[in-house]
Amino acid sequence: MIDQNLRILSGEQITSIHKDTLRVFDEVGVEVMHEGACKMWVDWGARRDSKSRRIHIPPSLVEKALKEVKSQIFCGAREEKNELIIGKERVYGRNGGGPGQVTDLISGELRNATKEDAANYARLVDALENTHIAAPVYEQDSRPETCDIHTLAEMFKNTSKHINIRLLNPDSLPYFLRMAELIAGGKNELKKKPVITMLESPISPLKHPAVLVDTILACGDHGIPLEICSMPIAGATGPITLAGSLLMSNVEMLAAVVFGQLAVPGMPMIFAPRIMVMDMANGYALTGSMENALLVTAGVQLAKEAYHMPVNMHGPYTDSPISDCQAGIENAYFSLMPAMAGADILTGAGHLQGGLVVNFAQLLIDDEIIGMVNRAREGLALDEETLGFDAIKDSIETGNLLMHPHTMRHLRSNRYRPKLITRTARSNWQNEGSKTMQDRAVEKAKFILENHQPEPLSEDIKKGIEELLLEADSKLT
């Protein structure tokens, strides 16, 4: 493992951002759109504006809360081999979640996601080596009020990996919790082995919606890890300067962390600063620019150096609407920079067009990028054996080291062998059909979907899920 991380910010700059975060807490405050939470803040010693729900947080509460933060988080899974410890000097991959549209694997046309797509997206992740956490593409076959619940059900059926998901309907929260309990074997077992992570967000500028508060409290009660994801748009909902939007994002997330740690000390929480940048020439909110990459890299530093928290960052991420050279360029630097800064999770594999579209072939390409990034994070082994003094000495007489014992000992070590990249002569490539990276990724995706079978759920759990879905459809639609 490399022993020095990429640093965008100096120690003094990190201290400055934290001090200004405390200043915003005191002088500006955060609007808490939840009356019960406002009362909790006041009981803890925060100040509430007399005619609003704006809460001003004193430094003493921040200091108290940060003492409870966990630097490592256990994420359970249906199969023990897929369980993870986040925050332990390892980069985990997570596919991009959220969109309701996919690029059809056969025709290439953009269309709404179906239940089959939700299942296939999870099944692809289940088979991939470097994508360790599954996130959803939300199927559009079900009613809008319950499509998030139906999507979670499809994910549990089609992957035994840890699942990261967000509510589309706040009323779905109890059903998410009950389904997770069903998979884990009850509430107590869920606390020991949380099979899902949930994600929820503040609203920029400086608002905590009721669904964020309710999700914090529910996750704390059930021991479920929670990502706090802040996405101000620099120049729109956040200051146009990169530093200003970084500060706003930090204020929004840290206030949520403080609330969570005061309400449920030690609850597992993950920092996820994912700031967007508005292109002022056309009004488009960018996610894959170099400025975005600088911001996520700085966000990793804040999470790790200021607050000692696990951090989930965007990367690979691209603004390209198709899987092309632009996607390759943006995904490469957007993965490598936060990873080399110390990110714990890289999120976005399979996303195109700033996270608005899911592309199955891109998922496989991005999985390869994450594998290479993990190899880069390992660095190189350097000791007496790897320096190979005897091999160098012997090379004078042998002229080459192809069959040397040192070569034999190490020929399979210290190498990452990608699955999709071609490294052969042009004539061989032509004889194999002159296939592009996209061609190879599509072929592999089709092969996985035809042949890979995830660990099945028991009949009792399947029945329990179907009963939950029927109840949700009955009560919420």
Side-chain angles (χ1 to χ4, degrees):
M1 181 67 66
I2 57 172
D3 63 2
Q4 186 170 357
N5 288 335
L6 173 65
R7 302 184 80 244
I8 300 297
L9 303 172
S10 68
E12 289 183 358
Q13 289 172 325
I14 290 173
T15 299
S16 176
I17 292 170
H18 179 64
K19 286 183 176 178
D20 272 6
T21 297
L22 297 180
R23 182 184 176 192
V24 175
F25 282 166
D26 180 49
E27 297 182 19
V28 182
V30 175
E31 183 180 353
V32 178
M33 304 163 72
H34 187 292
E35 190 59 32
C38 288
K39 292 178 181 177
M40 293 170 71
W41 276 114
V42 171
D43 288 343
W44 292 328
R47 186 176 83 257
R48 177 180 181 174
D49 285 354
S50 59
K51 296 182 179 180
S52 73
R53 295 175 295 188
R54 188 160 296 280
I55 299 295
H56 301 263
I57 308 168
S60 59
L61 286 184
V62 178
E63 183 179 353
K64 179 181 178 181
L66 289 178
K67 290 178 181 177
E68 304 293 339
V69 164
K70 288 185 176 180
S71 61
Q72 294 185 2
I73 290 173
F74 174 72
C75 293
R78 287 209 289 118
E79 285 192 276
E80 186 176 346
K81 68 178 183 179
N82 291 323
E83 294 174 349
L84 314 169
I85 298 178
I86 309 300
K88 202 176 181 180
E89 294 190 340
R90 166 70 190 274
V91 180
Y92 291 107
R94 197 204 92 184
N95 62 313
Q101 290 192 306
V102 300
T103 306
D104 190 274
L105 189 61
I106 307 301
S107 70
E109 294 298 315
L110 185 65
R111 58 172 175 77
N112 286 339
T114 64
K115 278 191 178 182
E116 184 179 11
D117 292 322
N120 286 343
Y121 198 37
R123 192 142 53 96
L124 285 170
V125 170
D126 194 68
L128 294 178
E129 179 181 356
N130 303 303
T131 306
H132 311 90
I133 301 169
V137 58
Y138 290 98
E139 55 95 348
Q140 305 298 300
D141 291 340
S142 302
R143 294 286 296 273
E145 299 90 343
T146 58
C147 74
D148 53 357
I149 307 172
H150 283 269
T151 296
L152 180 58
E154 292 300 323
M155 295 183 73
F156 276 131
K157 294 173 188 175
N158 287 280
T159 183
S160 64
K161 292 185 175 180
H162 187 77
I163 289 173
N164 179 297
I165 193 164
R166 182 180 189 177
L167 298 166
L168 297 186
N169 178 0
D171 293 334
S172 297
L173 180 57
Y175 295 95
F176 273 35
L177 299 174
R178 288 167 60 189
M179 199 180 300
E181 289 176 3
L182 187 63
I183 296 294
K187 183 176 179 179
N188 289 336
E189 290 303 311
L190 180 61
K191 284 186 174 182
K192 296 176 188 175
K193 190 177 80 169
V195 292
I196 63 171
T197 289
M198 292 192 65
L199 179 150
E200 201 48 71
S201 298
I203 298 174
S204 299
L206 303 177
K207 294 181 176 67
H208 281 187
V211 65
L212 171 61
V213 172
D214 289 335
T215 304
I216 291 173
L217 296 175
C219 286
D221 182 53
H222 286 74
I224 294 173
L226 176 62
E227 282 185 18
I228 304 297
C229 175
S230 173
M231 297 183 72
I233 304 171
T237 57
I240 195 168
T241 55
L242 302 186
S245 277
L246 181 63
L247 173 60
M248 176 173 282
S249 173
N250 199 60
V251 169
E252 293 173 347
M253 287 185 300
L254 188 60
V257 170
V258 171
F259 179 80
Q261 297 304 318
L262 293 176
V264 188
M267 73 169 288
M269 302 183 84
I270 300 170
F271 234 51
R274 299 173 186 162
I275 304 160
M276 305 172 77
V277 177
M278 178 169 282
D279 185 337
M280 303 307 286
N282 59 24
Y284 192 78
L286 304 175
T287 61
S289 71
M290 180 55 72
E291 288 75 21
N292 291 100
L294 288 168
L295 284 167
V296 299
T297 307
V300 172
Q301 279 190 259
L302 279 170
K304 289 296 187 181
E305 297 181 34
Y307 309 122
H308 310 290
M309 289 184 65
V311 59
N312 181 338
M313 297 307 305
H314 271 161
Y317 229 66
T318 178
D319 289 311
S320 177
I322 61 172
S323 181
D324 61 359
C325 292
Q326 177 184 333
I329 292 169
E330 291 176 340
N331 284 341
Y333 66 68
F334 221 111
S335 301
L336 190 60
M337 289 176 64
M340 298 304 275
D344 299 299
I345 305 171
L346 291 178
T347 285
H351 266 175
L352 292 173
Q353 198 175 336
L356 298 178
V357 176
V358 160
N359 182 292
F360 290 173
Q362 188 66 45
L363 171 63
L364 274 65
I365 295 170
D366 293 339
D367 182 80
E368 195 122 291
I369 291 175
I370 296 169
M372 289 187 280
V373 165
N374 256 311
R375 176 63 190 88
R377 274 277 296 262
E378 291 176 9
L380 56 88
L382 198 155
D383 55 28
E384 187 173 349
E385 168 64 17
T386 60
L387 285 170
F389 178 86
D390 290 338
I392 294 171
K393 181 179 178 181
D394 293 344
S395 70
I396 297 173
E397 295 184 5
T398 63
N400 73 77
L401 297 171
L402 186 61
M403 300 303 294
H404 192 277
H406 187 264
T407 304
M408 296 296 103
R409 288 197 300 273
H410 295 284
L411 64 88
R412 288 187 174 88
S413 66
N414 216 30
R415 300 289 190 276
Y416 176 74
R417 298 189 65 83
K419 307 296 193 303
L420 294 176
I421 286 176
T422 181
R423 290 171 173 166
T424 188
R426 183 180 181 87
S427 59
N428 293 338
W429 171 73
Q430 288 174 322
N431 290 336
E432 293 170 358
S434 303
K435 296 173 185 175
T436 65
M437 170 75 84
Q438 175 75 6
D439 295 333
R440 295 190 292 274
V442 168
E443 281 188 1
K444 184 176 178 182
K446 290 179 180 178
F447 179 84
I448 291 172
L449 293 176
E450 289 171 1
N451 294 278
H452 178 72
Q453 295 299 323
E455 180 70 19
L457 295 170
S458 71
E459 291 303 317
D460 285 346
I461 289 178
K462 286 181 184 178
K463 181 181 178 182
I465 288 175
E466 292 307 314
E467 290 173 352
L468 270 178
L469 294 176
L470 287 172
E471 180 185 329
D473 286 334
S474 173
K475 293 185 175 180
L476 299 184
T477 61

